[in-house]
Amino acid sequence: MDARTREQQEAVAVRVAGGDGQRPPAVHEGQFHRVVIGARRVVCFPRTDAAAARLPARAATLRAVGRAGLPFGTPLPLALGDEPPHLVLTRVPGAPLDPSALGRPEVAGAVAAQYAELLAALGRAGAEEGLRGDLPEAPRDEWRRFASDVRAELFPLMSPAGRLRAGRELAAAEALPYVAGALVHGDLGGENVLWETEDGLPVLRGVVDWDEVAFGDPAVDLAAVAASYGDAFLERVLEPAGGMWRDAWGRVAAIRGTFALQQALSALRDGDEEELVDGLRGYGHVHR
């Protein structure tokens, strides 16, 4: 980012997001956006030209999610701006949960129960026909296309051992059955689920970063929960449902195995070298 763009972003951030009167707004550096979090508003600055081009679609997606009637907060778009490109959102209260907090059994139980309700709400939203025209459905050949793209675009950047590892992960993904019954967040990692504390226990306040939302396989979101907090915690989340999710565990493992490749492929296409290197860290990345 050049100095002029940085100055423009800082001016917009101060004007729109501000602070709480005592400290400046927080800044989160995500894969696709630099996010400035003020007391009441959030400003998203795209990190690449490709991310900037997606801002209008991102705003439309958030409006559709806001109509889903979910029992937790979601950000609503307020304005799109240029020079520099940015999207202004309402702020969802709360902060990501520190994984170490789950070491207390009462906290782990409370959080697992609320995650279970979050996932159930997404499942119910998947049955709402009114949303089908507003949000995409996962393509039937999603994993086959993903595997083809990784082989074509990322394999040349990997070592031979890295290609063998990626090949195994892609084969597992290509074997996944097609499932599209739920509204799937698509990036339900811990950093996107926000909590506040009441009476010593976390209370779910909202979910942010809906860029990948689609009607698809809920195992995608289960995999993100497991990646953030571990398989044992995911088992606790799914426990109230009995055996309903038993057949999902294989899908969870296969999808989780693609996360680094998904990050690397998106980074390559967006020209984000830092995220590309991080995503290919376990694949013997060959620098270009």
Side-chain angles (χ1 to χ4, degrees), residues 24-274:
V27 177
H28 171 70
E29 299 286 352
Q31 180 174 358
F32 301 114
H33 303 93
R34 179 173 180 260
V35 182
V36 180
I37 305 169
R40 290 182 296 174
R41 291 181 175 85
V42 172
V43 188
C44 300
F45 297 104
R47 292 183 56 173
T48 65
D49 290 342
R54 293 193 294 266
L55 285 182
R58 188 179 196 217
T61 293
L62 289 172
R63 284 192 288 269
V65 170
R67 294 191 293 270
L70 297 169
F72 45 79
T74 61
L76 296 175
L78 298 175
L80 276 166
D82 297 311
E83 294 187 8
H86 63 276
L87 174 62
V88 183
L89 308 171
T90 58
R91 180 186 174 184
V92 177
L97 184 71
D98 186 339
S100 66
L102 298 178
R104 293 171 53 198
E106 66 275 20
V107 170
V111 172
Q114 291 174 83
Y115 257 112
E117 176 52 33
L118 186 166
L119 292 164
L122 292 175
R124 292 191 296 270
E128 294 292 332
E129 290 298 327
L131 290 175
R132 291 277 171 172
D134 297 329
L135 295 169
E137 183 170 307
R140 289 187 173 274
D141 62 348
E142 175 183 18
W143 293 111
R144 182 190 61 78
R145 288 196 298 176
F146 172 74
S148 177
D149 290 347
V150 168
R151 292 185 178 105
E153 298 178 48
L154 293 182
F155 270 32
L157 305 179
M158 299 179 187
S159 69
R163 288 193 289 273
L164 285 174
R165 173 189 166 181
R168 292 191 296 269
E169 294 165 344
L170 295 175
E174 288 177 293
L176 287 167
Y178 182 71
V179 179
L183 184 65
V184 175
H185 178 276
D187 190 12
L188 202 62
E191 69 277 5
N192 290 329
V193 183
L194 306 184
W195 308 78
E196 290 183 329
T197 301
E198 289 185 6
D199 299 324
L201 294 175
V203 176
L204 176 65
R205 293 302 188 207
V207 179
V208 299
D209 195 355
W210 291 83
D211 290 6
E212 303 300 322
V213 66
F215 293 97
D217 188 348
V220 171
D221 286 342
L222 302 183
V225 174
S228 291
Y229 298 116
D231 289 342
F233 177 75
L234 180 60
E235 288 180 3
R236 190 161 186 173
V237 170
L238 301 182
E239 186 176 331
M244 186 178 76
W245 291 103
R246 187 173 295 114
D247 66 341
W249 280 100
R251 306 201 311 274
V252 168
I255 293 167
R256 186 175 175 183
T258 68
F259 281 173
L261 294 173
Q262 290 186 49
Q263 173 185 326
L265 185 62
S266 294
L268 178 66
R269 291 173 170 177
D270 273 12
D272 191 330
E273 186 69 21
E274 181 179 347

